[in-house]
Amino acid sequence: MQQRVFNFSAGPSTLPLPVLKEIQQNLLALPGVGASILEISHRSSTYDEIYESAVANIRQLLELPENYHVLFLQGGATTQFSMVAMNLLQGSEQSAEYIVTGVWGKKAAAEAMKEGSARTAWDGAEENYVRVPYRGELELDPYAAYVHFTSNETIHGVEWQEEPWLDQGVLVCDASSNFLSRPIDVNRYGLIYAGAQKNVGPAGVTIVIIRDDLLEGIPDGLPIMFDYRTHVKKDSAYNTPPIFAIYTIMLVTRWLLDEIGTLEKMQLQNRKKANLLYELIDESGGFYKAHVNTGSRSSMNVTFNITEAALEAEFLKQTQIHKLVQLKGHRSLGGLRASLYNAMTVEGVRALRDCMREFMAVHG
Ligand code: PMP
């Protein structure tokens, strides 16, 4: 077998090896079925079992209350930027509040503004997205249709350590890049959406978790695929669902339950991994510099620079030699980014840290 690299990609990203092996082993013929997962109908009992177990695993991991639905939709998290607003804002007298801590939140707000009245309640752009707002800075409309935030901004590496403080109203979260990386109190949310391709599976499916009572306010007349009620009624199979992606989610969530256990344990491991890098960066005497302020730093996407920027190209060459790949920062921010999703091993992060240390010893 070709040797696997340590893949620090921001998404699609590394998946747990046991999951990939199981996919490989059963790709030609699912046990007891004799056909590939790529070939079976979504109207088969095999698919029903896969779908039900994927939903059950997510429910168990998040300790999801009964009054929340789990949906598997297509069109990526980007489609949710519009769909959230079409369902929860269109036709409403109220306005929606967007807390913008990075590029994705900004895009979400822009789409909502096309569907109804939406306001950017806070925007970290002036500081180039280095933190979440301080508590006193946030002035939210108590009558807002909903308040939207991005729990982890993948490009700048800004992560909320806890939810924004909301006395009342509906909290909506784009959790694409930290979904199932840590426990959350679902009861505080009205709707959570997440593209699968970071922590839970391949590209092609977006998970939406929606509280039941929100279905009542959805305006009639939306295109059928853009109405959450369609997907609730039809168990996410109104049309052909992305079967392979849902199958992979089932395997990844099963891996989480069997190999890690709980989201508390996953969070501890994720923090440990991120701290291995942040500590080295902070103790590098200015050789490396973290992009984000302490208190808002992401456990998923560690964004940093080499202060002498001209060295970054050489650094990327060195990491490549050590089979550490996809460490270039997003084109809109530059610098470097190490994405450490659930499936990235401590061994992989140690290898990166060792390489960073060695590079500093030579060039520092
Ligand atoms: N939100 C966040 C936080 C993301 O990281 C991304 C993708 N990197 C998106 C939304 C867009 O997701 P998609 O490509 O699935 O539309």
PDB file of all heavy atoms in Angstrom, residues 82-114:
ATOM      1  N   SER A  82     -28.394  30.316   2.688  1.00  0.00           N
ATOM      2  CA  SER A  82     -29.665  30.797   2.130  1.00  0.00           C
ATOM      3  C   SER A  82     -30.860  30.103   2.781  1.00  0.00           C
ATOM      4  O   SER A  82     -31.861  30.738   3.097  1.00  0.00           O
ATOM      5  CB  SER A  82     -29.721  30.522   0.628  1.00  0.00           C
ATOM      6  OG  SER A  82     -28.587  31.040  -0.008  1.00  0.00           O
ATOM      7  N   MET A  83     -30.727  28.811   2.967  1.00  0.00           N
ATOM      8  CA  MET A  83     -31.891  28.024   3.407  1.00  0.00           C
ATOM      9  C   MET A  83     -32.347  28.428   4.811  1.00  0.00           C
ATOM     10  O   MET A  83     -33.551  28.510   5.083  1.00  0.00           O
ATOM     11  CB  MET A  83     -31.519  26.541   3.358  1.00  0.00           C
ATOM     12  CG  MET A  83     -32.700  25.632   3.234  1.00  0.00           C
ATOM     13  SD  MET A  83     -32.159  23.989   2.724  1.00  0.00           S
ATOM     14  CE  MET A  83     -33.526  23.021   3.343  1.00  0.00           C
ATOM     15  N   VAL A  84     -31.393  28.683   5.683  1.00  0.00           N
ATOM     16  CA  VAL A  84     -31.739  29.146   7.039  1.00  0.00           C
ATOM     17  C   VAL A  84     -32.607  30.388   6.934  1.00  0.00           C
ATOM     18  O   VAL A  84     -33.671  30.491   7.550  1.00  0.00           O
ATOM     19  CB  VAL A  84     -30.450  29.446   7.852  1.00  0.00           C
ATOM     20  CG1 VAL A  84     -30.733  30.330   9.060  1.00  0.00           C
ATOM     21  CG2 VAL A  84     -29.782  28.153   8.291  1.00  0.00           C
ATOM     22  N   ALA A  85     -32.172  31.334   6.106  1.00  0.00           N
ATOM     23  CA  ALA A  85     -32.895  32.605   5.998  1.00  0.00           C
ATOM     24  C   ALA A  85     -34.223  32.437   5.264  1.00  0.00           C
ATOM     25  O   ALA A  85     -35.214  33.079   5.601  1.00  0.00           O
ATOM     26  CB  ALA A  85     -32.019  33.634   5.296  1.00  0.00           C
ATOM     27  N   MET A  86     -34.263  31.555   4.275  1.00  0.00           N
ATOM     28  CA  MET A  86     -35.531  31.326   3.562  1.00  0.00           C
ATOM     29  C   MET A  86     -36.579  30.772   4.524  1.00  0.00           C
ATOM     30  O   MET A  86     -37.745  31.140   4.481  1.00  0.00           O
ATOM     31  CB  MET A  86     -35.321  30.324   2.419  1.00  0.00           C
ATOM     32  CG  MET A  86     -34.515  30.869   1.257  1.00  0.00           C
ATOM     33  SD  MET A  86     -33.959  29.552   0.165  1.00  0.00           S
ATOM     34  CE  MET A  86     -35.215  29.599  -1.076  1.00  0.00           C
ATOM     35  N   ASN A  87     -36.160  29.880   5.408  1.00  0.00           N
ATOM     36  CA  ASN A  87     -37.093  29.201   6.304  1.00  0.00           C
ATOM     37  C   ASN A  87     -37.405  29.990   7.567  1.00  0.00           C
ATOM     38  O   ASN A  87     -38.520  29.932   8.075  1.00  0.00           O
ATOM     39  CB  ASN A  87     -36.542  27.830   6.708  1.00  0.00           C
ATOM     40  CG  ASN A  87     -36.683  26.796   5.596  1.00  0.00           C
ATOM     41  OD1 ASN A  87     -37.592  25.985   5.611  1.00  0.00           O
ATOM     42  ND2 ASN A  87     -35.791  26.851   4.601  1.00  0.00           N
ATOM     43  N   LEU A  88     -36.417  30.710   8.093  1.00  0.00           N
ATOM     44  CA  LEU A  88     -36.600  31.335   9.409  1.00  0.00           C
ATOM     45  C   LEU A  88     -36.750  32.855   9.350  1.00  0.00           C
ATOM     46  O   LEU A  88     -37.054  33.488  10.353  1.00  0.00           O
ATOM     47  CB  LEU A  88     -35.424  30.991  10.339  1.00  0.00           C
ATOM     48  CG  LEU A  88     -35.099  29.516  10.540  1.00  0.00           C
ATOM     49  CD1 LEU A  88     -34.010  29.354  11.589  1.00  0.00           C
ATOM     50  CD2 LEU A  88     -36.328  28.708  10.946  1.00  0.00           C
ATOM     51  N   LEU A  89     -36.521  33.432   8.158  1.00  0.00           N
ATOM     52  CA  LEU A  89     -36.529  34.898   8.083  1.00  0.00           C
ATOM     53  C   LEU A  89     -37.513  35.433   7.042  1.00  0.00           C
ATOM     54  O   LEU A  89     -38.217  36.419   7.298  1.00  0.00           O
ATOM     55  CB  LEU A  89     -35.107  35.385   7.748  1.00  0.00           C
ATOM     56  CG  LEU A  89     -34.885  36.891   7.737  1.00  0.00           C
ATOM     57  CD1 LEU A  89     -35.166  37.483   9.111  1.00  0.00           C
ATOM     58  CD2 LEU A  89     -33.451  37.216   7.314  1.00  0.00           C
ATOM     59  N   GLN A  90     -37.556  34.743   5.901  1.00  0.00           N
ATOM     60  CA  GLN A  90     -38.406  35.228   4.806  1.00  0.00           C
ATOM     61  C   GLN A  90     -39.836  35.450   5.297  1.00  0.00           C
ATOM     62  O   GLN A  90     -40.398  34.584   5.974  1.00  0.00           O
ATOM     63  CB  GLN A  90     -38.426  34.181   3.689  1.00  0.00           C
ATOM     64  CG  GLN A  90     -38.256  34.759   2.322  1.00  0.00           C
ATOM     65  CD  GLN A  90     -38.414  33.686   1.252  1.00  0.00           C
ATOM     66  OE1 GLN A  90     -39.435  33.034   1.160  1.00  0.00           O
ATOM     67  NE2 GLN A  90     -37.371  33.499   0.467  1.00  0.00           N
ATOM     68  N   GLY A  91     -40.385  36.593   4.969  1.00  0.00           N
ATOM     69  CA  GLY A  91     -41.771  36.876   5.335  1.00  0.00           C
ATOM     70  C   GLY A  91     -41.956  37.316   6.775  1.00  0.00           C
ATOM     71  O   GLY A  91     -43.056  37.649   7.200  1.00  0.00           O
ATOM     72  N   SER A  92     -40.849  37.318   7.546  1.00  0.00           N
ATOM     73  CA  SER A  92     -40.965  37.685   8.964  1.00  0.00           C
ATOM     74  C   SER A  92     -40.880  39.204   9.123  1.00  0.00           C
ATOM     75  O   SER A  92     -40.237  39.891   8.331  1.00  0.00           O
ATOM     76  CB  SER A  92     -39.830  37.001   9.731  1.00  0.00           C
ATOM     77  OG  SER A  92     -39.626  37.638  10.948  1.00  0.00           O
ATOM     78  N   GLU A  93     -41.525  39.714  10.139  1.00  0.00           N
ATOM     79  CA  GLU A  93     -41.459  41.154  10.439  1.00  0.00           C
ATOM     80  C   GLU A  93     -40.131  41.468  11.122  1.00  0.00           C
ATOM     81  O   GLU A  93     -39.702  42.610  11.177  1.00  0.00           O
ATOM     82  CB  GLU A  93     -42.563  41.526  11.443  1.00  0.00           C
ATOM     83  CG  GLU A  93     -43.940  41.066  11.040  1.00  0.00           C
ATOM     84  CD  GLU A  93     -44.750  42.182  10.435  1.00  0.00           C
ATOM     85  OE1 GLU A  93     -45.132  43.074  11.203  1.00  0.00           O
ATOM     86  OE2 GLU A  93     -44.968  42.158   9.194  1.00  0.00           O
ATOM     87  N   GLN A  94     -39.518  40.413  11.675  1.00  0.00           N
ATOM     88  CA  GLN A  94     -38.308  40.622  12.469  1.00  0.00           C
ATOM     89  C   GLN A  94     -37.060  40.566  11.592  1.00  0.00           C
ATOM     90  O   GLN A  94     -37.118  40.201  10.423  1.00  0.00           O
ATOM     91  CB  GLN A  94     -38.217  39.550  13.556  1.00  0.00           C
ATOM     92  CG  GLN A  94     -39.360  39.618  14.543  1.00  0.00           C
ATOM     93  CD  GLN A  94     -39.689  38.224  15.056  1.00  0.00           C
ATOM     94  OE1 GLN A  94     -39.901  37.302  14.291  1.00  0.00           O
ATOM     95  NE2 GLN A  94     -39.706  38.105  16.371  1.00  0.00           N
ATOM     96  N   SER A  95     -35.965  40.921  12.232  1.00  0.00           N
ATOM     97  CA  SER A  95     -34.692  40.919  11.529  1.00  0.00           C
ATOM     98  C   SER A  95     -33.813  39.811  12.127  1.00  0.00           C
ATOM     99  O   SER A  95     -34.068  39.335  13.231  1.00  0.00           O
ATOM    100  CB  SER A  95     -34.093  42.309  11.724  1.00  0.00           C
ATOM    101  OG  SER A  95     -32.746  42.295  11.428  1.00  0.00           O
ATOM    102  N   ALA A  96     -32.790  39.393  11.390  1.00  0.00           N
ATOM    103  CA  ALA A  96     -31.872  38.378  11.932  1.00  0.00           C
ATOM    104  C   ALA A  96     -30.548  39.043  12.284  1.00  0.00           C
ATOM    105  O   ALA A  96     -30.125  39.992  11.619  1.00  0.00           O
ATOM    106  CB  ALA A  96     -31.653  37.283  10.905  1.00  0.00           C
ATOM    107  N   GLU A  97     -29.913  38.554  13.333  1.00  0.00           N
ATOM    108  CA  GLU A  97     -28.647  39.111  13.798  1.00  0.00           C
ATOM    109  C   GLU A  97     -27.501  38.171  13.415  1.00  0.00           C
ATOM    110  O   GLU A  97     -27.563  36.964  13.706  1.00  0.00           O
ATOM    111  CB  GLU A  97     -28.665  39.242  15.326  1.00  0.00           C
ATOM    112  CG  GLU A  97     -29.759  40.148  15.864  1.00  0.00           C
ATOM    113  CD  GLU A  97     -29.378  41.612  15.784  1.00  0.00           C
ATOM    114  OE1 GLU A  97     -29.324  42.136  14.659  1.00  0.00           O
ATOM    115  OE2 GLU A  97     -29.161  42.221  16.840  1.00  0.00           O
ATOM    116  N   TYR A  98     -26.465  38.706  12.810  1.00  0.00           N
ATOM    117  CA  TYR A  98     -25.296  37.892  12.445  1.00  0.00           C
ATOM    118  C   TYR A  98     -24.068  38.371  13.205  1.00  0.00           C
ATOM    119  O   TYR A  98     -23.691  39.541  13.120  1.00  0.00           O
ATOM    120  CB  TYR A  98     -25.062  37.938  10.921  1.00  0.00           C
ATOM    121  CG  TYR A  98     -25.962  36.956  10.201  1.00  0.00           C
ATOM    122  CD1 TYR A  98     -27.321  37.224  10.049  1.00  0.00           C
ATOM    123  CD2 TYR A  98     -25.467  35.737   9.738  1.00  0.00           C
ATOM    124  CE1 TYR A  98     -28.168  36.303   9.442  1.00  0.00           C
ATOM    125  CE2 TYR A  98     -26.303  34.809   9.126  1.00  0.00           C
ATOM    126  CZ  TYR A  98     -27.649  35.094   8.981  1.00  0.00           C
ATOM    127  OH  TYR A  98     -28.475  34.172   8.385  1.00  0.00           O
ATOM    128  N   ILE A  99     -23.463  37.459  13.952  1.00  0.00           N
ATOM    129  CA  ILE A  99     -22.206  37.773  14.638  1.00  0.00           C
ATOM    130  C   ILE A  99     -21.089  37.228  13.744  1.00  0.00           C
ATOM    131  O   ILE A  99     -21.001  36.018  13.520  1.00  0.00           O
ATOM    132  CB  ILE A  99     -22.140  37.105  16.026  1.00  0.00           C
ATOM    133  CG1 ILE A  99     -23.420  37.399  16.825  1.00  0.00           C
ATOM    134  CG2 ILE A  99     -20.903  37.574  16.779  1.00  0.00           C
ATOM    135  CD1 ILE A  99     -23.496  36.634  18.141  1.00  0.00           C
ATOM    136  N   VAL A 100     -20.279  38.130  13.233  1.00  0.00           N
ATOM    137  CA  VAL A 100     -19.321  37.735  12.193  1.00  0.00           C
ATOM    138  C   VAL A 100     -17.902  37.685  12.779  1.00  0.00           C
ATOM    139  O   VAL A 100     -17.324  38.714  13.129  1.00  0.00           O
ATOM    140  CB  VAL A 100     -19.399  38.709  10.997  1.00  0.00           C
ATOM    141  CG1 VAL A 100     -18.340  38.367   9.959  1.00  0.00           C
ATOM    142  CG2 VAL A 100     -20.797  38.654  10.365  1.00  0.00           C
ATOM    143  N   THR A 101     -17.392  36.467  12.886  1.00  0.00           N
ATOM    144  CA  THR A 101     -16.035  36.300  13.428  1.00  0.00           C
ATOM    145  C   THR A 101     -15.077  35.766  12.359  1.00  0.00           C
ATOM    146  O   THR A 101     -13.986  35.311  12.675  1.00  0.00           O
ATOM    147  CB  THR A 101     -16.043  35.343  14.644  1.00  0.00           C
ATOM    148  OG1 THR A 101     -16.702  34.124  14.251  1.00  0.00           O
ATOM    149  CG2 THR A 101     -16.796  35.943  15.822  1.00  0.00           C
ATOM    150  N   GLY A 102     -15.501  35.821  11.103  1.00  0.00           N
ATOM    151  CA  GLY A 102     -14.629  35.358  10.027  1.00  0.00           C
ATOM    152  C   GLY A 102     -15.360  35.361   8.699  1.00  0.00           C
ATOM    153  O   GLY A 102     -16.504  35.805   8.588  1.00  0.00           O
ATOM    154  N   VAL A 103     -14.683  34.834   7.705  1.00  0.00           N
ATOM    155  CA  VAL A 103     -15.161  34.890   6.316  1.00  0.00           C
ATOM    156  C   VAL A 103     -16.487  34.151   6.115  1.00  0.00           C
ATOM    157  O   VAL A 103     -17.373  34.598   5.388  1.00  0.00           O
ATOM    158  CB  VAL A 103     -14.074  34.272   5.401  1.00  0.00           C
ATOM    159  CG1 VAL A 103     -14.578  34.058   3.999  1.00  0.00           C
ATOM    160  CG2 VAL A 103     -12.834  35.165   5.407  1.00  0.00           C
ATOM    161  N   TRP A 104     -16.654  33.010   6.800  1.00  0.00           N
ATOM    162  CA  TRP A 104     -17.862  32.203   6.560  1.00  0.00           C
ATOM    163  C   TRP A 104     -19.091  32.894   7.119  1.00  0.00           C
ATOM    164  O   TRP A 104     -20.152  32.882   6.504  1.00  0.00           O
ATOM    165  CB  TRP A 104     -17.687  30.786   7.110  1.00  0.00           C
ATOM    166  CG  TRP A 104     -16.596  30.079   6.367  1.00  0.00           C
ATOM    167  CD1 TRP A 104     -15.364  29.755   6.841  1.00  0.00           C
ATOM    168  CD2 TRP A 104     -16.612  29.675   4.992  1.00  0.00           C
ATOM    169  NE1 TRP A 104     -14.617  29.174   5.851  1.00  0.00           N
ATOM    170  CE2 TRP A 104     -15.360  29.103   4.707  1.00  0.00           C
ATOM    171  CE3 TRP A 104     -17.566  29.736   3.977  1.00  0.00           C
ATOM    172  CZ2 TRP A 104     -15.033  28.595   3.447  1.00  0.00           C
ATOM    173  CZ3 TRP A 104     -17.249  29.234   2.722  1.00  0.00           C
ATOM    174  CH2 TRP A 104     -16.000  28.669   2.466  1.00  0.00           C
ATOM    175  N   GLY A 105     -18.947  33.491   8.285  1.00  0.00           N
ATOM    176  CA  GLY A 105     -20.069  34.224   8.876  1.00  0.00           C
ATOM    177  C   GLY A 105     -20.469  35.411   8.006  1.00  0.00           C
ATOM    178  O   GLY A 105     -21.654  35.740   7.874  1.00  0.00           O
ATOM    179  N   LYS A 106     -19.463  36.038   7.413  1.00  0.00           N
ATOM    180  CA  LYS A 106     -19.732  37.179   6.534  1.00  0.00           C
ATOM    181  C   LYS A 106     -20.551  36.738   5.313  1.00  0.00           C
ATOM    182  O   LYS A 106     -21.502  37.385   4.894  1.00  0.00           O
ATOM    183  CB  LYS A 106     -18.390  37.772   6.078  1.00  0.00           C
ATOM    184  CG  LYS A 106     -18.469  39.191   5.586  1.00  0.00           C
ATOM    185  CD  LYS A 106     -17.069  39.665   5.192  1.00  0.00           C
ATOM    186  CE  LYS A 106     -17.080  41.109   4.768  1.00  0.00           C
ATOM    187  NZ  LYS A 106     -17.330  42.035   5.861  1.00  0.00           N
ATOM    188  N   LYS A 107     -20.164  35.584   4.767  1.00  0.00           N
ATOM    189  CA  LYS A 107     -20.896  35.051   3.607  1.00  0.00           C
ATOM    190  C   LYS A 107     -22.317  34.667   3.991  1.00  0.00           C
ATOM    191  O   LYS A 107     -23.257  34.880   3.227  1.00  0.00           O
ATOM    192  CB  LYS A 107     -20.172  33.820   3.046  1.00  0.00           C
ATOM    193  CG  LYS A 107     -18.889  34.171   2.342  1.00  0.00           C
ATOM    194  CD  LYS A 107     -18.318  32.965   1.621  1.00  0.00           C
ATOM    195  CE  LYS A 107     -17.111  33.397   0.809  1.00  0.00           C
ATOM    196  NZ  LYS A 107     -16.490  32.328   0.079  1.00  0.00           N
ATOM    197  N   ALA A 108     -22.458  34.084   5.169  1.00  0.00           N
ATOM    198  CA  ALA A 108     -23.799  33.686   5.629  1.00  0.00           C
ATOM    199  C   ALA A 108     -24.688  34.917   5.757  1.00  0.00           C
ATOM    200  O   ALA A 108     -25.846  34.919   5.331  1.00  0.00           O
ATOM    201  CB  ALA A 108     -23.696  32.952   6.963  1.00  0.00           C
ATOM    202  N   ALA A 109     -24.144  35.996   6.325  1.00  0.00           N
ATOM    203  CA  ALA A 109     -24.911  37.234   6.507  1.00  0.00           C
ATOM    204  C   ALA A 109     -25.322  37.806   5.153  1.00  0.00           C
ATOM    205  O   ALA A 109     -26.468  38.231   4.967  1.00  0.00           O
ATOM    206  CB  ALA A 109     -24.080  38.245   7.297  1.00  0.00           C
ATOM    207  N   ALA A 110     -24.404  37.788   4.208  1.00  0.00           N
ATOM    208  CA  ALA A 110     -24.701  38.355   2.877  1.00  0.00           C
ATOM    209  C   ALA A 110     -25.868  37.619   2.219  1.00  0.00           C
ATOM    210  O   ALA A 110     -26.724  38.232   1.581  1.00  0.00           O
ATOM    211  CB  ALA A 110     -23.452  38.280   1.995  1.00  0.00           C
ATOM    212  N   GLU A 111     -25.918  36.315   2.379  1.00  0.00           N
ATOM    213  CA  GLU A 111     -27.020  35.547   1.774  1.00  0.00           C
ATOM    214  C   GLU A 111     -28.340  35.831   2.488  1.00  0.00           C
ATOM    215  O   GLU A 111     -29.392  35.926   1.855  1.00  0.00           O
ATOM    216  CB  GLU A 111     -26.708  34.044   1.798  1.00  0.00           C
ATOM    217  CG  GLU A 111     -25.577  33.638   0.871  1.00  0.00           C
ATOM    218  CD  GLU A 111     -25.738  34.168  -0.545  1.00  0.00           C
ATOM    219  OE1 GLU A 111     -26.777  33.902  -1.165  1.00  0.00           O
ATOM    220  OE2 GLU A 111     -24.832  34.875  -1.028  1.00  0.00           O
ATOM    221  N   ALA A 112     -28.270  35.955   3.807  1.00  0.00           N
ATOM    222  CA  ALA A 112     -29.510  36.220   4.573  1.00  0.00           C
ATOM    223  C   ALA A 112     -30.111  37.553   4.156  1.00  0.00           C
ATOM    224  O   ALA A 112     -31.331  37.692   4.070  1.00  0.00           O
ATOM    225  CB  ALA A 112     -29.204  36.208   6.066  1.00  0.00           C
ATOM    226  N   MET A 113     -29.242  38.522   3.867  1.00  0.00           N
ATOM    227  CA  MET A 113     -29.725  39.854   3.494  1.00  0.00           C
ATOM    228  C   MET A 113     -30.541  39.829   2.198  1.00  0.00           C
ATOM    229  O   MET A 113     -31.336  40.715   1.937  1.00  0.00           O
ATOM    230  CB  MET A 113     -28.549  40.831   3.392  1.00  0.00           C
ATOM    231  CG  MET A 113     -28.038  41.230   4.782  1.00  0.00           C
ATOM    232  SD  MET A 113     -26.458  42.085   4.736  1.00  0.00           S
ATOM    233  CE  MET A 113     -25.988  42.000   6.480  1.00  0.00           C
ATOM    234  N   LYS A 114     -30.353  38.784   1.399  1.00  0.00           N
ATOM    235  CA  LYS A 114     -31.141  38.658   0.168  1.00  0.00           C
ATOM    236  C   LYS A 114     -32.545  38.119   0.451  1.00  0.00           C
ATOM    237  O   LYS A 114     -33.434  38.219  -0.378  1.00  0.00           O
ATOM    238  CB  LYS A 114     -30.448  37.692  -0.809  1.00  0.00           C
ATOM    239  CG  LYS A 114     -29.104  38.170  -1.287  1.00  0.00           C
ATOM    240  CD  LYS A 114     -28.481  37.100  -2.187  1.00  0.00           C
ATOM    241  CE  LYS A 114     -27.064  37.478  -2.572  1.00  0.00           C
ATOM    242  NZ  LYS A 114     -26.351  36.352  -3.192  1.00  0.00           N
TER     243      LYS A 114
END
